[in-house]
Amino acid sequence: MLAHFRLRDVIQLLGLGCLVLNRSPIAAARVVEGRDQETPTSGRQVIKLDTDWRFWHSFENPDGIAYDQLKAYILPGANDFIADPSDHHKRPSSEPNITVRYADNKFDDSDWETVKVPHDWAIKGPFYIGDDVPVGGGMGRLPVQGVGWYRRKIIIEPSDTDKEIYLDIDGAMSYAIVWLNGRLLGGWPYGYNSFRLDLTPHLVAGKDNQLAIRLDNPTQSSRWYPGGGLYRNVWLTKVDKTHVGQSGTYITTEGVSSSSATLNLAVTVENKADVKRDIHVSTDVYKFNPETGKMGRKVASFPRAAVSVSPGQNVDSSSSTIVKNPQLWGVWTSQKKPNMYIAVTELRTGGNGKVIDTYETRFGIRTFDLSSKGLLVNGERVRIQGVNQHHDLGALGAAFNVRAAERQLEILRDLGVNAVRTSHNPPAPELLDLLDQKGFLVMDEIFDSWEIQKNPNDFHLIFPEWHEADLRSFIRRDRNHPSIYSWSVGNEVGEQYTEAGGTAVAQGLVDIAHDTDPTRPVTASLNYAKPNMTFPTAFDVISLNYQGEGIRDTPAYSHLSGITTYPLYTAFHEAFPDKLIEGSETASALSSRGTYIFPVVDVNSAPINDTSGGNSTSMQVSAYELYSADYGASADKVFAGQDPYSFVAGEFVWTGFDYIGEPTPYYDARSSYSGIVDLAGFPKDRYYLYQSRWRPDLQTAHILPHWTWPDRLGEVTPVHVFSSADEAELFLNGKSQGRLVREQYSYRFRWDKVVYAPGELRVVTYKNGKVWAKASVQTVGNASRLRLAADRSSIRADGDDLAYITVEVVDSKGRVVPNASNEITFDVAGAGELVATDNGDPADFTVFPSKQRKAYSGLALAIVRAKAGKRGPIIITASGANLKTAQVVVKTR
Ligand code: GAL
């Protein structure tokens, strides 16, 4: 086996700070398929353009440029993704008659900020507080708006003159327009999609070439925090003039069994040379371990094919092969391994047989069957235990970071999650690699609005001209990921209300998706469309937002205005008896970690107001986990709404993690309350409710609330326990409060009449008559010291890897003080630096990069990055007034 490298292994740092991935032709693929297979012989070189960007941002339009004015130059970039040639856009024959100062090679950007990409210009804040602000709670109260310019030099070696050189941008927020050496190349308005521009015609070899990228973020463009900037990776791809095209491989499987699987492969060969090329296409398939990046043995080869490609043309070469005894990709909750393969495609010239391109595609072999019987993976039913996830990474904002995303998935896995809906936009490509690798299912979603707006500046403005290109490029990019079981083309779109008109738009999108990937079903989430309407008929899968469990249909919600919807799982099942039905958004239960508000409602689900679970002054929601958005439901109500119906395939909870923006019900706050996990990554009580359901074999019991209530002596203080047990007995200071049996369709043990006295609460739970799990909470003393814990003891010294440091405020006996809000100061010395702090409080307006952070319900978080190439320990110290200081050391490697 040849040597393997991972992305983080810096092989060569050029003068400009480029990371060059220089590796063997069959070295393991990294995170984005088709990338980093560079060798001098294979002809493909992929360079991460992360360092040395110059950045400048203005809240006003500093250059008078508008997308609409230049779109004639941008739209031709969509042509590769528009099926009908008569709809293709033609670039105007003359160049735009404008002077673009910031794109000029001679412009002096030396006083601009130097930044590393991925970069989110808004995350450092400050927050906008109050009413009359440019960005309100919905978009996260952070300065996302305005125009950002990024400039960077690119040196092209003289030996590159015969190459085709592309700029690949994984996501730029938003309305990207790109210039090279002063010449407008193109762009891509939708900030979540990946796109490619050909730099070749305007590059000068051996010289500094000036790249300039303009991004423009309007206000009122989103219902959540979008972030701003080059917030995902940017790459320079150098290839032979004749090469595998962008997202140019497509692998499907058929006849999958434990003894054999047929693989079908289409390779798009693109010829940018000015002569016809005769090319031999060959592809070998290997076992692949995404965790180590290592390839295993060769398991199959596709028959070699010869194609002849005229100048400027793309030709598809298709072939099939068989893999014997395939190791199937499986979902982790079924105790199945997510086995992966890698297809290594080589293009050779017909003449001397020289390899001119090597392109790697990761894929998996598995079957999905979707029907009214639910989701079968390799023939076995897998219940969808899913969560919705927005794209921000908490205190890091939208700037993508592999470790931050991996940590989220680790926390979700511990909770029992096996599926993610990428609400409501294309994710970072690396996230899909992680989801494949860890055995999660994915509903890959692209749009939150179509022709009808939700916000004045959202996607509806460009839907007519861009939806086809956005949808096709998104599916082509993602279609080889085994984890994706369904495409979603929309979320709660306004077209649900327009019947025939809306259905036609839906059908148009479904047709595009089927045409681009005939193997996967297509859905869109319905929060309004009913079984007797035409809109749902357009979709292969019925995905209900809140309608399954019912909206405002119980007495606790009856005083609210808004539509009442009775639970609709059965009605949809009757109307669409063959289709898979799932809850694409469930619950919208809300809570602030560790906050308990009295009195506690006696029903299992209630909306929030100042007399029911909420405090609009402190902007906190009670963590008894019984309270929801006005249109939502508690987890208990959701479960009871699903369990009678075996045809319900499962659900995606709104949401796994809290996210920035949309702080329902308190829009004066900064981040959401809906997460099972808070913004900092700390589990709320709800975590244990879902864990008890999703990991029924885990012997756990979780008591709430905490038991330190000096002001509640003698007051009724309900105690609830989450456990997968069927019986439980609670003791207060040794005295039984009763032994309870969990009834059908009830999901918690609740002792609502407990009178508070300091001391100890202890629960013993039973399953099938045997002791199952025990837990206790105690009344704790005053805050006395800090305790630190790092999520990992060593991290890579690559400038990207992160250590997550949790600080707990504890009493003299080392017990967490549950209401501690002490101000903590973090100091980081040695080989690392502090990136951000948080505490999960949706109403904390301390800026994320601050080294001071108040504890919230006893906890706070520091995110620490290793400095690139710097060896030695990172020493993290946390201190606070009247608290014993704590220190933790993280090694670098
Ligand atoms: C849904 C919507 C989500 C989010 C959620 C908040 O209606 O699809 O994007 O807004 O409500 O509860």
Side-chain angles (χ1 to χ4, degrees):
M1 191 76 252
L2 294 158
H4 296 292
F5 301 101
R6 307 206 67 186
L7 172 63
R8 24 212 187 237
D9 299 329
V10 177
I11 296 141
Q12 197 183 351
L13 276 168
L14 288 187
L16 280 172
C18 311
L19 169 57
V20 177
L21 298 151
N22 183 356
R23 40 200 300 165
S24 103
I26 56 165
R30 185 195 27 86
V31 279
V32 182
E33 73 178 34
R35 292 192 173 157
D36 70 308
Q37 305 91 335
E38 187 277 341
T39 67
T41 52
S42 77
R44 180 171 288 253
Q45 186 181 25
V46 179
I47 301 165
K48 191 182 199 182
L49 298 182
D50 52 354
T51 56
D52 295 308
W53 288 91
R54 294 285 184 170
F55 166 71
W56 181 73
H57 171 263
S58 167
F59 289 119
E60 307 303 324
N61 185 340
D63 45 40
I65 294 172
Y67 163 77
D68 276 340
Q69 159 203 18
L70 295 180
K71 75 175 182 184
Y73 299 86
I74 297 167
L75 278 163
N79 287 347
D80 283 348
F81 305 98
I82 296 174
D84 182 347
S86 69
D87 289 338
H88 284 186
H89 305 275
K90 207 166 155 5
R91 188 179 168 106
S93 51
S94 60
E95 289 308 294
N97 185 19
I98 52 167
T99 314
V100 187
R101 210 173 139 227
Y102 305 117
D104 195 296
N105 281 21
K106 291 195 217 75
F107 176 77
D108 178 7
D109 58 21
S110 57
D111 61 349
W112 286 14
E113 196 185 337
T114 301
V115 297
K116 192 173 173 199
V117 167
H119 173 247
D120 174 357
W121 76 55
I123 194 62
K124 69 176 191 291
F127 288 99
Y128 292 114
I129 301 174
D131 288 338
D132 194 16
V133 291
V135 180
M139 284 172 67
R141 300 188 166 272
L142 285 166
V144 288
Q145 80 283 22
V147 171
W149 275 94
Y150 290 82
R151 286 169 56 95
R152 191 189 195 284
K153 293 206 168 37
I154 300 175
I155 296 182
I156 300 301
E157 306 301 322
S159 57
D160 288 333
T161 40
D162 57 348
K163 300 256 173 67
E164 203 67 12
I165 299 180
Y166 295 106
L167 181 70
D168 285 304
I169 298 186
D170 288 348
M173 193 62 72
S174 58
Y175 287 95
I177 309 180
V178 180
W179 286 260
L180 180 71
N181 295 329
R183 155 98 184 193
L184 196 168
L185 295 186
W188 201 279
Y190 189 36
Y192 293 104
N193 229 340
S194 302
F195 64 99
R196 161 173 279 193
L197 293 170
D198 192 352
L199 304 182
T200 323
H202 308 287
L203 281 170
V204 187
K207 277 218 180 135
D208 278 2
N209 288 270
Q210 183 65 54
L211 194 61
I213 303 177
R214 180 188 192 272
L215 303 178
D216 194 347
N217 256 1
T219 53
Q220 296 186 282
S221 60
S222 175
R223 301 187 301 108
W224 57 86
Y225 174 71
L230 292 176
Y231 73 105
R232 288 184 183 157
N233 282 313
V234 177
W235 310 89
L236 200 64
T237 302
K238 301 182 182 177
V239 277
D240 188 277
K241 291 276 175 202
T242 310
H243 50 268
V244 176
Q246 180 189 4
S247 306
T249 53
Y250 181 33
I251 300 183
T252 59
T253 56
E254 63 183 311
V256 175
S257 72
S258 55
S259 56
S260 160
T262 300
L263 308 182
N264 304 314
L265 168 72
V267 178
T268 305
V269 181
E270 178 166 26
N271 184 15
K272 290 279 182 97
D274 48 17
V275 291
K276 191 172 120 199
R277 301 285 293 271
D278 293 319
I279 300 293
H280 291 270
V281 183
S282 65
T283 302
D284 294 329
V285 179
Y286 301 81
K287 276 288 298 160
F288 179 62
N289 180 339
E291 258 166 66
T292 59
K294 292 209 164 131
M295 290 169 53
R297 68 191 166 86
K298 184 163 45 161
V299 297
S301 294
F302 287 91
R304 289 188 174 213
V307 290
S308 190
V309 198
S310 302
Q313 295 298 303
N314 289 344
V315 171
D316 280 357
S317 158
S318 299
S319 55
S320 298
T321 189
I322 287 176
V323 176
K324 288 264 168 2
N325 305 315
Q327 294 184 305
L328 304 185
W329 183 91
V331 180
W332 78 266
T333 44
S334 330
Q335 320 298 327
K336 296 285 168 13
K337 273 182 69 178
N339 292 300
M340 297 282 294
Y341 290 90
I342 190 161
V344 181
T345 300
E346 290 184 329
L347 304 189
R348 288 186 170 75
T349 48
N352 58 11
K354 184 179 162 219
V355 175
I356 54 167
D357 193 13
T358 305
Y359 187 94
E360 297 178 350
T361 311
R362 294 172 173 200
F363 69 101
I365 302 173
R366 45 83 184 131
T367 61
F368 287 144
D369 284 300
L370 289 86
S371 71
S372 56
K373 294 194 182 68
L375 172 62
L376 305 188
V377 181
N378 304 323
E380 184 190 335
R381 181 162 183 186
V382 175
R383 196 175 169 88
I384 299 168
Q385 302 177 170
V387 290
N388 284 274
Q389 289 285 91
H390 266 310
H391 73 304
D392 75 64
L393 294 167
L396 303 179
F400 187 78
N401 178 285
V402 174
R403 173 58 200 159
E406 183 181 55
R407 171 181 178 255
Q408 288 199 336
L409 297 184
E410 286 168 3
I411 292 168
L412 293 173
R413 223 182 115 132
D414 182 65
L415 158 64
V417 169
N418 68 7
V420 167
R421 174 178 180 232
T422 65
S423 48
H424 307 293
N425 44 257
E430 294 88 347
L431 178 64
L432 292 170
D433 290 316
L434 288 169
L435 289 159
D436 285 345
Q437 176 186 325
K438 293 184 184 298
F440 284 76
L441 297 159
V442 178
M443 184 199 290
D444 202 5
E445 182 159 272
I446 177 164
F447 299 131
D448 189 48
S449 57
W450 298 346
E451 286 176 341
I452 299 176
Q453 72 171 63
K454 292 182 177 174
N455 268 299
N457 295 319
D458 68 20
F459 190 76
H460 83 281
L461 294 176
I462 52 172
F463 181 91
E465 282 171 327
W466 283 93
H467 69 271
E468 180 182 354
D470 270 311
L471 184 52
R472 282 190 197 274
S473 69
F474 157 72
I475 292 180
R476 276 193 219 163
R477 188 195 74 169
D478 291 352
R479 64 193 169 179
N480 292 319
H481 287 281
S483 54
I484 299 172
Y485 76 96
S486 149
W487 305 112
S488 169
V489 292
N491 171 61
E492 298 189 351
V493 292
E495 282 77 359
Q496 288 173 100
Y497 297 81
T498 62
E499 270 299 65
T503 308
V505 180
Q507 196 60 59
L509 292 166
V510 171
D511 291 347
I512 292 169
H514 284 163
D515 184 51
T516 317
D517 173 25
T519 73
R520 285 188 185 80
V522 182
T523 194
S525 289
L526 314 176
N527 67 325
Y528 170 76
K530 300 290 177 289
N532 61 353
M533 296 180 180
T534 57
F535 192 81
T537 62
F539 304 105
D540 305 314
V541 167
I542 300 294
S543 299
L544 302 182
N545 282 9
Y546 313 106
Q547 297 203 97
E549 65 252 24
I551 303 172
R552 301 185 196 90
D553 62 313
T554 59
Y557 295 78
S558 61
H559 60 288
L560 297 169
S561 57
I563 300 171
T564 299
T565 305
Y566 290 94
L568 285 180
Y569 280 130
T570 313
F572 269 104
H573 181 53
E574 280 164 8
F576 302 99
D578 301 326
K579 290 189 182 177
L580 181 137
I581 298 183
E582 63 195 354
S584 41
E585 278 181 40
T586 58
S588 260
L590 309 174
S591 54
S592 313
R593 177 180 54 77
T595 300
Y596 307 92
I597 297 175
F598 302 94
V600 176
V601 292
D602 56 7
V603 291
N604 77 353
S605 184
I608 294 153
N609 54 54
D610 277 352
T611 57
S612 164
N615 182 331
S616 56
T617 310
S618 63
M619 296 188 276
Q620 303 297 344
V621 179
S622 177
Y624 269 92
E625 310 296 11
L626 292 164
Y627 303 99
S628 79
D630 285 0
Y631 46 84
S634 70
D636 306 60
K637 185 189 169 204
V638 171
F639 299 159
Q642 289 170 0
D643 283 351
Y645 311 113
S646 61
F647 61 82
V648 177
E651 65 173 313
F652 291 87
V653 180
W654 190 268
T655 49
F657 273 61
D658 275 335
Y659 52 96
I660 307 175
E662 231 195 359
T664 308
Y666 302 126
Y667 266 62
D668 287 341
R670 62 161 207 203
S671 50
S672 85
Y673 297 77
S674 55
I676 301 173
V677 178
D678 76 15
L679 197 73
F682 300 135
K684 300 180 186 172
D685 291 287
R686 229 183 308 150
Y687 192 89
Y688 304 96
L689 179 54
Y690 283 99
Q691 194 184 49
S692 305
R693 178 176 173 81
W694 287 342
R695 298 181 64 189
D697 297 334
L698 203 65
Q699 285 175 268
T700 56
H702 175 81
I703 301 177
L704 70 147
H706 64 76
W707 210 242
T708 304
W709 298 103
D711 299 338
R712 296 194 64 75
L713 279 179
E715 296 208 46
V716 171
T717 305
V719 177
H720 294 188
V721 167
F722 301 140
S723 171
S724 50
D726 48 34
E727 279 185 67
E729 184 165 15
L730 181 75
F731 301 88
L732 172 55
N733 295 329
K735 186 164 178 264
S736 175
Q737 307 293 304
R739 179 161 167 162
L740 301 179
V741 175
R742 195 146 63 86
E743 306 294 337
Q744 193 182 25
Y745 308 135
S746 96
Y747 302 91
R748 65 174 71 197
F749 299 98
R750 55 191 293 179
W751 293 264
D752 280 332
K753 300 210 168 68
V754 179
V755 175
Y756 179 75
E760 186 188 56
L761 277 178
R762 200 159 56 81
V763 72
V764 183
T765 67
Y766 301 85
K767 198 159 181 173
N768 300 324
K770 294 210 183 86
V771 172
W772 179 249
K774 298 177 187 176
S776 65
V777 292
Q778 293 159 1
T779 307
V780 305
N782 293 334
S784 120
R785 61 188 173 91
L786 298 173
R787 183 164 61 211
L788 287 181
D791 64 335
R792 291 180 304 156
S793 56
S794 80
I795 62 176
R796 289 177 310 277
D798 61 1
D800 290 321
D801 204 3
L802 301 171
Y804 281 80
I805 314 293
T806 299
V807 58
E808 296 170 312
V809 182
V810 299
D811 71 0
S812 58
K813 293 187 176 156
R815 299 171 300 191
V816 174
V817 179
N819 47 9
S821 58
N822 308 59
E823 175 147 297
I824 297 161
T825 301
F826 291 97
D827 277 304
V828 178
E833 58 199 346
L834 183 73
V835 190
T837 58
D838 192 14
N839 55 19
D841 176 358
D844 184 340
F845 291 113
T846 308
V847 294
F848 288 122
S850 171
K851 60 190 287 203
Q852 265 97 29
R853 174 75 48 186
K854 278 187 156 185
Y856 174 66
S857 297
L859 307 181
L861 175 80
I863 307 173
V864 172
R865 179 170 49 213
K867 291 182 187 159
K870 205 154 176 208
R871 287 296 160 93
I874 309 174
I875 302 125
I876 302 112
T877 310
S879 55
N882 304 320
L883 294 170
K884 199 165 158 233
T885 297
Q887 206 169 69
V888 69
V889 176
V890 175
K891 290 189 209 127
T892 55
R893 54 176 200 268

